Amino acid sequence: MTTQRNTVTAALGMEPLDKYMFKYKGFNFLQGSVTPEYIDSLEDFKIRDSDIFLVTFPKSGTIWTQNILSLIYHEGHRNGTENTVLIDRVPWLEYNVCNRDYGNRPSPRLFSTHLPYYLVPKGLKNGAGKIIYVARNPKDVLVSYYHFFNITVKLEKIEDFDIFMEKFLAGKVLGNFWLDHIEGWSAKENNFNILFLLYEEMKKDLRSNVVKICNFLGVTLTEEELDDIVDKASFDKMSVDPRSNYSSMHPEFLDFSKGRFLRKGTVGDWKNTMTVAQNERFDSIFKERMEKLPFKFCWDINEF
Ligand code: A3P
Protein backbone atom coordinates (compact mmCIF):
# COMPACT_ATOMS: atom_id res chain seq x y z
CA MET A 1 0.00 0.00 0.00
CA THR A 2 2.77 2.41 1.02
CA THR A 3 4.81 1.44 -2.05
CA GLN A 4 1.77 2.01 -4.25
CA ARG A 5 1.22 5.47 -2.69
CA ASN A 6 4.89 6.32 -3.11
CA THR A 7 4.73 5.40 -6.80
CA VAL A 8 1.74 7.69 -7.36
CA THR A 9 3.26 10.60 -5.43
CA ALA A 10 6.60 10.20 -7.23
CA ALA A 11 4.79 10.43 -10.56
CA LEU A 12 3.35 13.79 -9.41
CA GLY A 13 6.80 15.06 -8.43
CA MET A 14 5.95 14.68 -4.74
CA GLU A 15 8.46 13.10 -2.42
CA PRO A 16 6.90 11.70 0.78
CA LEU A 17 8.84 12.85 3.86
CA ASP A 18 6.82 10.92 6.40
CA LYS A 19 3.16 10.05 6.94
CA TYR A 20 2.33 13.74 7.42
CA MET A 21 4.47 15.74 5.00
CA PHE A 22 5.59 15.65 1.40
CA LYS A 23 8.22 17.58 -0.50
CA TYR A 24 7.30 19.30 -3.76
CA LYS A 25 9.58 21.61 -5.75
CA GLY A 26 12.07 21.40 -2.89
CA PHE A 27 9.62 22.55 -0.21
CA ASN A 28 7.78 20.62 2.51
CA PHE A 29 3.96 20.65 2.62
CA LEU A 30 1.32 19.18 4.86
CA GLN A 31 -0.02 15.94 3.45
CA GLY A 32 -3.73 16.05 2.53
CA SER A 33 -4.03 19.86 2.81
CA VAL A 34 -2.69 20.89 -0.60
CA THR A 35 -2.04 19.32 -4.00
CA PRO A 36 0.86 19.76 -6.43
CA GLU A 37 -1.62 21.19 -8.97
CA TYR A 38 -2.69 23.88 -6.52
CA ILE A 39 0.94 24.72 -5.68
CA ASP A 40 1.68 24.96 -9.42
CA SER A 41 -1.33 27.23 -9.91
CA LEU A 42 -0.01 29.74 -7.36
CA GLU A 43 2.67 30.93 -9.77
CA ASP A 44 -0.06 32.60 -11.83
CA PHE A 45 -2.20 33.65 -8.86
CA LYS A 46 -3.18 37.20 -9.78
CA ILE A 47 -1.70 39.75 -7.39
CA ARG A 48 -3.36 43.11 -6.79
CA ASP A 49 -1.27 46.11 -5.79
CA SER A 50 -3.38 46.33 -2.64
CA ASP A 51 -2.58 42.72 -1.54
CA ILE A 52 -0.65 42.21 1.69
CA PHE A 53 1.25 39.02 2.34
CA LEU A 54 2.57 38.00 5.72
CA VAL A 55 5.54 35.67 5.22
CA THR A 56 7.06 33.66 8.04
CA PHE A 57 8.99 30.57 8.89
CA PRO A 58 6.60 28.64 11.22
CA LYS A 59 6.62 29.63 14.91
CA SER A 60 7.99 33.10 14.29
CA GLY A 61 4.97 35.17 15.31
CA THR A 62 2.60 34.51 12.41
CA ILE A 63 -0.60 34.50 14.46
CA TRP A 64 0.55 37.63 16.28
CA THR A 65 1.09 39.53 13.05
CA GLN A 66 -2.09 38.09 11.51
CA ASN A 67 -3.91 39.59 14.46
CA ILE A 68 -2.16 42.96 14.08
CA LEU A 69 -3.00 43.10 10.37
CA SER A 70 -6.60 42.17 11.01
CA LEU A 71 -6.87 44.81 13.75
CA ILE A 72 -5.34 47.44 11.45
CA TYR A 73 -7.74 46.75 8.59
CA HIS A 74 -10.97 45.71 10.31
CA GLU A 75 -12.69 48.20 12.54
CA GLY A 76 -15.18 45.46 13.31
CA HIS A 77 -12.35 43.43 14.78
CA ARG A 78 -11.12 46.37 16.88
CA ASN A 79 -14.55 47.16 18.28
CA GLY A 80 -15.63 43.53 18.57
CA THR A 81 -18.68 43.82 16.30
CA GLU A 82 -17.36 41.21 13.85
CA ASN A 83 -16.73 37.73 15.04
CA THR A 84 -14.37 36.37 12.37
CA VAL A 85 -11.46 34.06 13.20
CA LEU A 86 -7.94 34.98 12.12
CA ILE A 87 -7.53 32.04 9.80
CA ASP A 88 -10.35 33.52 7.73
CA ARG A 89 -9.22 37.15 7.98
CA VAL A 90 -5.61 36.48 7.00
CA PRO A 91 -5.91 33.05 5.33
CA TRP A 92 -3.06 30.84 4.18
CA LEU A 93 -2.26 31.15 0.52
CA GLU A 94 -0.99 27.59 0.17
CA TYR A 95 -3.52 25.98 2.55
CA ASN A 96 -6.99 27.16 1.61
CA VAL A 97 -8.49 25.33 4.59
CA CYS A 98 -11.67 27.43 4.70
CA ASN A 99 -12.16 26.78 0.97
CA ARG A 100 -12.62 30.45 0.05
CA ASP A 101 -12.65 31.98 -3.40
CA TYR A 102 -9.52 34.11 -3.02
CA GLY A 103 -10.02 35.67 -6.43
CA ASN A 104 -13.28 37.25 -5.29
CA ARG A 105 -12.18 38.61 -1.93
CA PRO A 106 -12.55 42.35 -1.53
CA SER A 107 -9.42 44.50 -1.43
CA PRO A 108 -7.22 44.85 0.45
CA ARG A 109 -6.72 41.11 0.66
CA LEU A 110 -4.60 39.83 3.54
CA PHE A 111 -2.76 36.52 3.19
CA SER A 112 -0.32 34.46 5.21
CA THR A 113 2.26 32.11 3.77
CA HIS A 114 5.29 30.06 4.77
CA LEU A 115 6.38 29.68 1.14
CA PRO A 116 10.00 30.28 0.14
CA TYR A 117 10.59 33.26 -2.15
CA TYR A 118 10.86 31.08 -5.24
CA LEU A 119 7.38 29.55 -4.93
CA VAL A 120 5.31 32.69 -4.45
CA PRO A 121 3.13 34.11 -7.26
CA LYS A 122 5.14 35.80 -9.99
CA GLY A 123 3.14 39.01 -9.53
CA LEU A 124 4.74 39.38 -6.11
CA LYS A 125 8.18 38.77 -7.59
CA ASN A 126 7.44 41.53 -10.07
CA GLY A 127 6.89 43.99 -7.24
CA ALA A 128 3.09 44.04 -7.00
CA GLY A 129 1.53 43.80 -3.52
CA LYS A 130 3.30 44.22 -0.21
CA ILE A 131 5.09 41.66 1.94
CA ILE A 132 5.80 41.66 5.66
CA TYR A 133 8.40 39.07 6.66
CA VAL A 134 8.56 38.34 10.40
CA ALA A 135 11.65 36.54 11.71
CA ARG A 136 12.41 35.17 15.19
CA ASN A 137 15.59 33.88 16.72
CA PRO A 138 15.84 30.26 15.56
CA LYS A 139 16.46 28.73 18.98
CA ASP A 140 13.10 30.01 20.24
CA VAL A 141 11.58 28.92 16.92
CA LEU A 142 12.97 25.42 17.47
CA VAL A 143 11.54 25.11 20.99
CA SER A 144 8.19 26.59 20.00
CA TYR A 145 8.07 24.22 17.03
CA TYR A 146 8.83 21.20 19.23
CA HIS A 147 5.70 21.98 21.31
CA PHE A 148 3.66 22.76 18.19
CA PHE A 149 4.44 19.35 16.67
CA ASN A 150 2.98 17.75 19.74
CA ILE A 151 -0.31 19.64 19.66
CA THR A 152 -0.76 19.31 15.90
CA VAL A 153 -2.79 16.24 15.06
CA LYS A 154 -1.44 16.06 11.50
CA LEU A 155 2.24 16.07 12.44
CA GLU A 156 4.39 13.30 13.87
CA LYS A 157 4.53 13.12 17.67
CA ILE A 158 8.14 13.47 18.77
CA GLU A 159 8.63 13.45 22.52
CA ASP A 160 12.43 13.43 22.54
CA PHE A 161 13.63 17.00 22.01
CA ASP A 162 16.99 15.76 20.72
CA ILE A 163 15.25 13.84 17.93
CA PHE A 164 13.09 16.85 17.08
CA MET A 165 16.14 19.11 16.98
CA GLU A 166 17.83 16.82 14.45
CA LYS A 167 14.69 16.94 12.30
CA PHE A 168 14.72 20.74 12.52
CA LEU A 169 18.43 20.91 11.66
CA ALA A 170 17.85 18.62 8.69
CA GLY A 171 15.04 20.89 7.47
CA LYS A 172 12.50 18.05 7.74
CA VAL A 173 9.77 20.32 9.07
CA LEU A 174 7.25 22.64 7.41
CA GLY A 175 9.24 25.63 6.23
CA ASN A 176 12.31 23.42 5.57
CA PHE A 177 15.66 24.66 6.90
CA TRP A 178 15.34 27.94 8.80
CA LEU A 179 18.52 29.44 7.32
CA ASP A 180 17.49 28.64 3.75
CA HIS A 181 14.12 30.30 4.29
CA ILE A 182 15.41 33.57 5.72
CA GLU A 183 18.50 33.76 3.50
CA GLY A 184 16.33 33.22 0.43
CA TRP A 185 13.93 35.99 1.33
CA SER A 186 16.54 38.47 2.48
CA ALA A 187 18.75 37.91 -0.56
CA LYS A 188 15.79 38.72 -2.81
CA GLU A 189 14.82 41.81 -0.84
CA ASN A 190 15.20 44.08 -3.85
CA ASN A 191 12.82 42.02 -5.98
CA PHE A 192 9.95 42.51 -3.55
CA ASN A 193 8.07 45.31 -1.89
CA ILE A 194 9.01 43.98 1.54
CA LEU A 195 9.29 44.99 5.20
CA PHE A 196 11.31 42.81 7.57
CA LEU A 197 10.29 42.68 11.23
CA LEU A 198 11.82 40.85 14.17
CA TYR A 199 9.67 39.07 16.75
CA GLU A 200 12.02 40.21 19.51
CA GLU A 201 11.69 43.86 18.47
CA MET A 202 7.90 43.48 18.48
CA LYS A 203 8.14 42.05 21.96
CA LYS A 204 10.35 44.91 23.07
CA ASP A 205 8.23 47.71 21.62
CA LEU A 206 5.02 46.60 19.97
CA ARG A 207 3.65 50.08 19.42
CA SER A 208 6.54 51.31 17.31
CA ASN A 209 6.37 48.13 15.25
CA VAL A 210 2.64 48.60 14.65
CA VAL A 211 3.43 52.16 13.54
CA LYS A 212 6.16 50.78 11.26
CA ILE A 213 3.65 48.37 9.71
CA CYS A 214 1.10 51.17 9.21
CA ASN A 215 3.71 53.40 7.57
CA PHE A 216 4.76 50.62 5.25
CA LEU A 217 1.15 49.89 4.31
CA GLY A 218 0.23 53.55 3.99
CA VAL A 219 -2.48 53.31 6.66
CA THR A 220 -3.20 56.24 8.96
CA LEU A 221 -4.73 55.50 12.34
CA THR A 222 -5.50 57.70 15.32
CA GLU A 223 -3.46 57.44 18.52
CA GLU A 224 -6.46 55.76 20.20
CA GLU A 225 -6.77 53.19 17.42
CA LEU A 226 -3.06 52.42 17.72
CA ASP A 227 -3.39 52.01 21.49
CA ASP A 228 -6.32 49.70 20.96
CA ILE A 229 -4.38 47.52 18.50
CA VAL A 230 -1.37 47.30 20.83
CA ASP A 231 -3.66 46.30 23.67
CA LYS A 232 -5.60 43.68 21.69
CA ALA A 233 -2.40 42.24 20.19
CA SER A 234 -0.81 41.67 23.59
CA PHE A 235 -0.06 38.07 24.53
CA ASP A 236 -2.44 38.21 27.49
CA LYS A 237 -5.40 39.53 25.50
CA MET A 238 -4.84 37.17 22.56
CA SER A 239 -4.51 34.19 24.90
CA VAL A 240 -8.12 34.62 26.04
CA ASP A 241 -9.67 35.69 22.73
CA PRO A 242 -10.80 32.61 20.75
CA ARG A 243 -10.91 34.67 17.53
CA SER A 244 -7.20 35.39 17.93
CA ASN A 245 -5.60 32.25 19.32
CA TYR A 246 -6.77 29.43 17.04
CA SER A 247 -8.57 27.78 19.99
CA SER A 248 -11.65 27.45 17.82
CA MET A 249 -9.64 25.49 15.24
CA HIS A 250 -11.17 22.11 14.49
CA PRO A 251 -9.85 19.33 16.79
CA GLU A 252 -8.96 17.50 13.59
CA PHE A 253 -6.02 19.97 13.32
CA LEU A 254 -5.02 20.95 16.85
CA ASP A 255 -5.32 19.00 20.10
CA PHE A 256 -5.50 21.56 22.88
CA SER A 257 -5.42 18.90 25.56
CA LYS A 258 -1.69 18.65 24.70
CA GLY A 259 -0.88 22.38 25.02
CA ARG A 260 -1.76 25.87 23.80
CA PHE A 261 -0.97 27.62 20.55
CA LEU A 262 -0.08 30.80 22.46
CA ARG A 263 2.29 29.00 24.78
CA LYS A 264 4.78 31.39 26.42
CA GLY A 265 5.32 34.17 23.90
CA THR A 266 8.67 35.22 25.24
CA VAL A 267 12.31 35.63 24.21
CA GLY A 268 14.96 33.18 25.40
CA ASP A 269 12.75 30.26 26.39
CA TRP A 270 15.17 28.00 24.48
CA LYS A 271 17.45 28.21 27.53
CA ASN A 272 14.89 26.22 29.53
CA THR A 273 14.96 23.36 27.05
CA MET A 274 18.28 23.13 25.22
CA THR A 275 21.23 21.50 26.94
CA VAL A 276 24.74 22.94 26.65
CA ALA A 277 25.62 20.18 24.18
CA GLN A 278 22.50 20.82 22.07
CA ASN A 279 23.23 24.54 22.06
CA GLU A 280 26.78 23.89 20.89
CA ARG A 281 25.61 21.57 18.15
CA PHE A 282 23.04 24.15 17.05
CA ASP A 283 25.69 26.91 16.95
CA SER A 284 28.11 24.72 15.00
CA ILE A 285 25.54 24.56 12.21
CA PHE A 286 24.01 28.02 12.47
CA LYS A 287 26.62 30.48 13.68
CA GLU A 288 28.60 31.16 10.54
CA ARG A 289 25.59 31.69 8.28
CA MET A 290 23.72 33.62 11.00
CA GLU A 291 26.54 36.15 11.15
CA LYS A 292 26.10 36.93 7.47
CA LEU A 293 22.37 37.71 7.84
CA PRO A 294 21.46 41.39 7.81
CA PHE A 295 19.52 41.04 11.09
CA LYS A 296 20.60 41.28 14.69
CA PHE A 297 18.63 38.78 16.75
CA CYS A 298 18.07 39.00 20.47
CA TRP A 299 18.50 35.68 22.33
CA ASP A 300 17.40 36.61 25.82
CA ILE A 301 14.71 38.86 27.24
CA ASN A 302 17.27 40.22 29.70
CA GLU A 303 19.15 41.78 26.77
CA PHE A 304 16.25 44.21 26.23
P1 A3P B 1 5.86 30.15 21.88
O1 A3P B 1 5.54 28.74 21.50
O2 A3P B 1 7.34 30.36 22.12
O3 A3P B 1 5.04 30.65 23.03
P2 A3P B 1 3.37 31.21 14.88
O4 A3P B 1 2.11 31.95 14.95
O5 A3P B 1 4.31 31.68 13.81
O6 A3P B 1 3.15 29.74 14.86
O7 A3P B 1 4.18 31.53 16.22
C1 A3P B 1 3.71 31.08 17.48
C2 A3P B 1 4.58 31.68 18.56
O8 A3P B 1 4.28 33.09 18.66
C3 A3P B 1 4.28 31.07 19.92
O9 A3P B 1 5.53 31.08 20.63
C4 A3P B 1 3.28 32.07 20.48
O10 A3P B 1 3.13 32.03 21.87
C5 A3P B 1 3.90 33.37 19.99
N1 A3P B 1 2.94 34.48 20.04
C6 A3P B 1 1.70 34.52 19.52
N2 A3P B 1 1.08 35.67 19.84
C7 A3P B 1 1.97 36.40 20.57
C8 A3P B 1 1.92 37.69 21.20
N3 A3P B 1 0.84 38.44 21.17
N4 A3P B 1 3.02 38.10 21.87
C9 A3P B 1 4.12 37.33 21.91
N5 A3P B 1 4.22 36.11 21.34
C10 A3P B 1 3.15 35.64 20.68
Side-chain angles (χ1 to χ4, degrees), residues 166 196 263:
E166 289 309 316
F196 286 94
R263 195 182 55 93

Side-chain angles (χ1 to χ4, degrees), residues 54 56-68 92 114 134 136 140-141 143-148 199 202-203 206 230-239 244-246 260-267 269-270:
L54 166 62
T56 54
F57 184 90
K59 313 321 293 171
S60 303
T62 322
I63 193 171
W64 192 6
T65 320
Q66 282 176 317
N67 198 36
I68 293 168
W92 294 97
H114 291 317
V134 181
R136 183 183 193 187
D140 280 332
V141 168
V143 170
S144 179
Y145 218 158
Y146 166 66
H147 291 282
F148 177 72
Y199 175 100
M202 289 165 62
K203 191 81 197 158
L206 183 55
V230 172
D231 177 54
K232 291 197 167 77
S234 68
F235 184 83
D236 289 346
K237 289 278 165 72
M238 285 179 62
S239 296
S244 308
N245 59 23
Y246 290 174
R260 290 179 308 160
F261 195 95
L262 267 76
R263 195 182 55 93
K264 288 195 177 172
T266 191
V267 179
D269 184 48
W270 60 274

Side-chain angles (χ1 to χ4, degrees), residues 250-302:
H250 200 281
E252 174 190 324
F253 294 106
L254 295 173
D255 179 356
F256 288 105
S257 69
K258 304 260 167 52
R260 290 179 308 160
F261 195 95
L262 267 76
R263 195 182 55 93
K264 288 195 177 172
T266 191
V267 179
D269 184 48
W270 60 274
K271 292 183 179 172
N272 298 316
T273 299
M274 292 173 78
T275 63
V276 172
Q278 285 164 343
N279 188 36
E280 281 172 5
R281 166 143 175 77
F282 191 101
D283 284 344
S284 71
I285 294 174
F286 268 64
K287 208 159 183 274
E288 205 179 315
R289 283 170 70 181
M290 285 292 293
E291 281 167 2
K292 295 195 182 108
L293 287 174
F295 310 108
K296 189 173 167 355
F297 287 95
C298 172
W299 303 90
D300 191 322
I301 199 140
N302 299 315

